[in-house]
Amino acid sequence: RSSWLRLKLILSSDNKIELPIHYNPTIQGMLYKYLPPSLSEFLHDIGFFYKGRSFKLYTFSRIFSPHYTVHKSKKRYIFDPPLNLYISSAIHNITKRMGETFLKKNKIILGKNQLYLNSIEMIPPPVIKHATIKIKTLSPITAYRTFQKENGKNFYRYYHPNEEEFNELLKENIRKKYEIITEKELVDFEFRIQPIKPPRKALIKYKNFIIEGYDGDFVVHTDPEVFSVVFDAGLGAKNSQGFGMIKLLQG
């Protein structure tokens, strides 16, 4: 498998970096901006279709930095540089083109901050050999169902990792992604996910919606080949909005 599936960007600045508390749309906007226009347009407007649903098949992590403070009145994070950001996609061309574009830029605009690329690292895909896999979230995992209220408006019900629906929704989501990526039908496969310790709830505002996700360490029981294929697309829903990025835990 290609080594371009996952990138680690280290972004520096001469100043502290100020971002909104809910910065996912800011990062997503930067990623679309630094993709070639045709690919950016395809991902933003179209994506990869599966039975009428669109999947973007890429995700990104939360921001990691040496230190940050929260400016409560401004509802902003103040980060000390450098920022570490991980981006991954199950589609080789997406992260490859992104990486190539970042390498050509003298400066990178993130929100109102002017950054420069300190380094970019291609992280090799994990070798998943066993049916029991320990993972850590780099951005929260979200699983939800849409219901309709009596007034016709949609209502979103988010599930906790201890609820059976969380497991069912992640399994169904993996099946769809696997079929898009491989163009092979996946009839049934084992999938169980359980928190290793109580997960942390994350409430993230994306545009006008509050999305509920969960962070933490989990153990997954599944087919290693299936999991390897979808690993870099992200687990669960809303991956392209910065949800469901995971890494393997050693041991």
Side-chain angles (χ1 to χ4, degrees):
R1 290 172 73 223
S2 162
S3 57
W4 274 100
L5 296 176
R6 179 166 293 219
L7 305 175
K8 178 186 180 183
L9 303 181
I10 300 182
L11 301 164
S12 288
S13 172
D14 298 326
N15 308 298
K16 288 187 184 284
I17 299 155
E18 212 174 301
L19 287 171
I21 294 275
H22 301 287
Y23 55 67
N24 289 36
T26 310
I27 296 177
Q28 190 191 47
M30 176 194 75
L31 297 181
Y32 281 137
K33 184 180 174 183
Y34 291 111
L35 271 174
S38 58
L39 187 53
S40 176
E41 208 171 284
F42 169 76
L43 281 177
H44 186 271
D45 300 336
I46 305 166
F48 302 87
F49 270 86
Y50 179 92
K51 296 183 180 175
R53 286 278 310 281
S54 173
F55 290 79
K56 311 294 173 143
L57 300 181
Y58 83 89
T59 189
F60 57 89
S61 71
R62 73 178 76 85
I63 285 173
F64 298 92
S65 82
H67 179 75
Y68 69 88
T69 53
V70 181
H71 198 305
K72 285 188 177 165
S73 62
K74 281 189 178 178
K75 294 184 178 169
R76 295 180 87 71
Y77 281 122
I78 316 290
F79 291 101
D80 286 359
L83 302 184
N84 288 4
L85 177 68
Y86 296 85
I87 308 159
S88 70
S89 174
I91 307 299
H92 161 86
N93 197 35
I94 294 173
T95 26
K96 182 174 187 289
R97 300 283 288 280
M98 230 177 241
E100 287 169 349
T101 311
F102 275 116
L103 283 169
K104 291 174 193 163
K105 297 287 175 190
N106 294 325
K107 61 179 182 183
I108 291 159
I109 306 299
L110 178 62
K112 293 177 180 172
N113 306 278
Q114 193 166 297
L115 311 176
Y116 50 91
L117 186 66
N118 206 338
S119 70
I120 188 164
E121 186 186 333
M122 289 180 285
I123 298 172
V127 179
I128 300 171
K129 292 179 180 172
H130 305 289
T132 300
I133 306 143
K134 287 181 181 173
I135 60 165
K136 184 181 196 68
T137 55
L138 296 175
S139 55
I141 300 170
T142 185
Y144 70 98
R145 283 205 168 105
T146 309
F147 298 96
Q148 209 166 46
K149 293 182 185 173
E150 286 176 12
N151 63 7
K153 287 190 175 175
N154 282 345
F155 162 73
Y156 301 97
R157 163 74 159 90
Y158 289 92
Y159 294 97
H160 185 280
N162 289 337
E163 293 180 280
E164 187 55 40
E165 288 88 345
F166 186 88
N167 200 87
E168 284 169 17
L169 288 162
L170 261 61
K171 180 178 179 176
E172 183 57 18
N173 183 274
I174 285 171
R175 191 179 63 76
K176 290 171 184 171
K177 285 172 181 158
Y178 182 89
E179 291 190 3
I180 295 169
I181 295 160
T182 63
E183 298 181 343
K184 288 190 280 191
E185 193 181 353
L186 184 60
V187 180
D188 198 25
F189 64 105
E190 185 198 7
F191 181 80
R192 297 289 311 162
I193 183 166
Q194 290 145 322
I196 293 171
K197 51 191 177 189
R200 299 180 304 281
K201 185 196 276 193
L203 295 173
I204 294 171
K205 191 175 182 186
Y206 182 86
K207 298 185 177 169
N208 293 322
F209 293 95
I210 298 287
I211 299 168
E212 182 184 306
Y214 288 87
D215 266 316
D217 300 347
F218 295 85
V219 62
V220 173
H221 304 276
T222 193
D223 181 315
E225 190 267 335
V226 171
F227 205 60
S228 296
V229 168
V230 301
F231 188 83
D232 284 304
L235 257 192
K238 301 194 180 291
N239 306 126
S240 67
Q241 294 168 20
F243 288 86
M245 190 171 197
I246 55 170
K247 70 172 188 175
L248 290 192
L249 274 177
Q250 299 310 315

